[in-house]
PDB file of all heavy atoms in Angstrom:
ATOM      1  N   ASP A  37       6.627  48.541 -27.335  1.00  0.00           N
ATOM      2  CA  ASP A  37       7.936  49.149 -27.537  1.00  0.00           C
ATOM      3  C   ASP A  37       7.721  50.448 -28.299  1.00  0.00           C
ATOM      4  O   ASP A  37       6.654  50.690 -28.849  1.00  0.00           O
ATOM      5  CB  ASP A  37       8.844  48.205 -28.325  1.00  0.00           C
ATOM      6  CG  ASP A  37      10.321  48.476 -28.057  1.00  0.00           C
ATOM      7  OD1 ASP A  37      10.632  49.532 -27.447  1.00  0.00           O
ATOM      8  OD2 ASP A  37      11.166  47.663 -28.463  1.00  0.00           O
ATOM      9  N   SER A  38       8.740  51.286 -28.339  1.00  0.00           N
ATOM     10  CA  SER A  38       8.630  52.581 -29.013  1.00  0.00           C
ATOM     11  C   SER A  38       9.091  52.466 -30.450  1.00  0.00           C
ATOM     12  O   SER A  38      10.154  51.898 -30.741  1.00  0.00           O
ATOM     13  CB  SER A  38       9.473  53.630 -28.279  1.00  0.00           C
ATOM     14  OG  SER A  38       8.958  53.871 -26.993  1.00  0.00           O
ATOM     15  N   TYR A  39       8.275  53.016 -31.362  1.00  0.00           N
ATOM     16  CA  TYR A  39       8.593  52.996 -32.789  1.00  0.00           C
ATOM     17  C   TYR A  39       8.399  54.396 -33.376  1.00  0.00           C
ATOM     18  O   TYR A  39       7.655  55.218 -32.845  1.00  0.00           O
ATOM     19  CB  TYR A  39       7.696  51.999 -33.531  1.00  0.00           C
ATOM     20  CG  TYR A  39       7.948  50.569 -33.136  1.00  0.00           C
ATOM     21  CD1 TYR A  39       7.296  50.003 -32.052  1.00  0.00           C
ATOM     22  CD2 TYR A  39       8.858  49.778 -33.835  1.00  0.00           C
ATOM     23  CE1 TYR A  39       7.535  48.691 -31.666  1.00  0.00           C
ATOM     24  CE2 TYR A  39       9.104  48.464 -33.466  1.00  0.00           C
ATOM     25  CZ  TYR A  39       8.445  47.932 -32.383  1.00  0.00           C
ATOM     26  OH  TYR A  39       8.688  46.636 -32.003  1.00  0.00           O
ATOM     27  N   TRP A  40       9.079  54.620 -34.511  1.00  0.00           N
ATOM     28  CA  TRP A  40       8.967  55.912 -35.188  1.00  0.00           C
ATOM     29  C   TRP A  40       7.739  55.936 -36.089  1.00  0.00           C
ATOM     30  O   TRP A  40       7.462  54.976 -36.811  1.00  0.00           O
ATOM     31  CB  TRP A  40      10.202  56.185 -36.045  1.00  0.00           C
ATOM     32  CG  TRP A  40      11.457  56.456 -35.289  1.00  0.00           C
ATOM     33  CD1 TRP A  40      12.587  55.688 -35.259  1.00  0.00           C
ATOM     34  CD2 TRP A  40      11.734  57.582 -34.457  1.00  0.00           C
ATOM     35  NE1 TRP A  40      13.550  56.263 -34.461  1.00  0.00           N
ATOM     36  CE2 TRP A  40      13.048  57.432 -33.949  1.00  0.00           C
ATOM     37  CE3 TRP A  40      10.999  58.706 -34.075  1.00  0.00           C
ATOM     38  CZ2 TRP A  40      13.638  58.351 -33.095  1.00  0.00           C
ATOM     39  CZ3 TRP A  40      11.590  59.628 -33.216  1.00  0.00           C
ATOM     40  CH2 TRP A  40      12.890  59.453 -32.742  1.00  0.00           C
ATOM     41  N   VAL A  41       7.017  57.046 -36.052  1.00  0.00           N
ATOM     42  CA  VAL A  41       5.907  57.287 -36.977  1.00  0.00           C
ATOM     43  C   VAL A  41       6.084  58.665 -37.593  1.00  0.00           C
ATOM     44  O   VAL A  41       6.780  59.528 -37.044  1.00  0.00           O
ATOM     45  CB  VAL A  41       4.528  57.209 -36.276  1.00  0.00           C
ATOM     46  CG1 VAL A  41       4.289  55.834 -35.694  1.00  0.00           C
ATOM     47  CG2 VAL A  41       4.396  58.295 -35.213  1.00  0.00           C
ATOM     48  N   ALA A  42       5.458  58.862 -38.753  1.00  0.00           N
ATOM     49  CA  ALA A  42       5.489  60.173 -39.397  1.00  0.00           C
ATOM     50  C   ALA A  42       4.581  61.127 -38.625  1.00  0.00           C
ATOM     51  O   ALA A  42       3.419  60.828 -38.389  1.00  0.00           O
ATOM     52  CB  ALA A  42       5.026  60.050 -40.841  1.00  0.00           C
ATOM     53  N   LYS A  43       5.140  62.244 -38.224  1.00  0.00           N
ATOM     54  CA  LYS A  43       4.356  63.240 -37.488  1.00  0.00           C
ATOM     55  C   LYS A  43       3.377  63.935 -38.416  1.00  0.00           C
ATOM     56  O   LYS A  43       2.242  64.248 -38.044  1.00  0.00           O
ATOM     57  CB  LYS A  43       5.300  64.258 -36.846  1.00  0.00           C
ATOM     58  CG  LYS A  43       4.668  65.132 -35.786  1.00  0.00           C
ATOM     59  CD  LYS A  43       5.741  65.956 -35.092  1.00  0.00           C
ATOM     60  CE  LYS A  43       5.156  66.796 -33.986  1.00  0.00           C
ATOM     61  NZ  LYS A  43       6.218  67.597 -33.300  1.00  0.00           N
ATOM     62  N   ASN A  44       3.817  64.182 -39.651  1.00  0.00           N
ATOM     63  CA  ASN A  44       2.976  64.770 -40.690  1.00  0.00           C
ATOM     64  C   ASN A  44       3.144  63.931 -41.955  1.00  0.00           C
ATOM     65  O   ASN A  44       4.005  63.050 -42.016  1.00  0.00           O
ATOM     66  CB  ASN A  44       3.390  66.221 -40.971  1.00  0.00           C
ATOM     67  CG  ASN A  44       3.403  67.073 -39.716  1.00  0.00           C
ATOM     68  OD1 ASN A  44       2.370  67.263 -39.082  1.00  0.00           O
ATOM     69  ND2 ASN A  44       4.580  67.581 -39.346  1.00  0.00           N
ATOM     70  N   ALA A  45       2.343  64.188 -42.961  1.00  0.00           N
ATOM     71  CA  ALA A  45       2.490  63.490 -44.233  1.00  0.00           C
ATOM     72  C   ALA A  45       3.857  63.827 -44.836  1.00  0.00           C
ATOM     73  O   ALA A  45       4.274  64.980 -44.852  1.00  0.00           O
ATOM     74  CB  ALA A  45       1.372  63.894 -45.190  1.00  0.00           C
ATOM     75  N   LEU A  46       4.555  62.797 -45.326  1.00  0.00           N
ATOM     76  CA  LEU A  46       5.889  62.973 -45.897  1.00  0.00           C
ATOM     77  C   LEU A  46       5.896  62.480 -47.336  1.00  0.00           C
ATOM     78  O   LEU A  46       5.390  61.396 -47.642  1.00  0.00           O
ATOM     79  CB  LEU A  46       6.932  62.193 -45.083  1.00  0.00           C
ATOM     80  CG  LEU A  46       7.072  62.568 -43.606  1.00  0.00           C
ATOM     81  CD1 LEU A  46       8.080  61.650 -42.919  1.00  0.00           C
ATOM     82  CD2 LEU A  46       7.494  64.026 -43.457  1.00  0.00           C
ATOM     83  N   ALA A  47       6.476  63.277 -48.217  1.00  0.00           N
ATOM     84  CA  ALA A  47       6.549  62.928 -49.635  1.00  0.00           C
ATOM     85  C   ALA A  47       7.825  62.140 -49.914  1.00  0.00           C
ATOM     86  O   ALA A  47       8.823  62.284 -49.201  1.00  0.00           O
ATOM     87  CB  ALA A  47       6.512  64.192 -50.487  1.00  0.00           C
ATOM     88  N   PRO A  48       7.824  61.316 -50.942  1.00  0.00           N
ATOM     89  CA  PRO A  48       9.048  60.596 -51.317  1.00  0.00           C
ATOM     90  C   PRO A  48      10.178  61.565 -51.624  1.00  0.00           C
ATOM     91  O   PRO A  48       9.970  62.610 -52.240  1.00  0.00           O
ATOM     92  CB  PRO A  48       8.625  59.835 -52.587  1.00  0.00           C
ATOM     93  CG  PRO A  48       7.148  59.704 -52.480  1.00  0.00           C
ATOM     94  CD  PRO A  48       6.678  60.956 -51.802  1.00  0.00           C
ATOM     95  N   GLY A  49      11.368  61.232 -51.179  1.00  0.00           N
ATOM     96  CA  GLY A  49      12.535  62.073 -51.407  1.00  0.00           C
ATOM     97  C   GLY A  49      12.835  63.039 -50.290  1.00  0.00           C
ATOM     98  O   GLY A  49      13.905  63.656 -50.268  1.00  0.00           O
TER      99      GLY A  49
END
Side-chain angles (χ1 to χ4, degrees):
D37 205 348
S38 294
Y39 294 87
W40 290 114
V41 298
K43 195 172 182 180
N44 306 298
L46 300 177

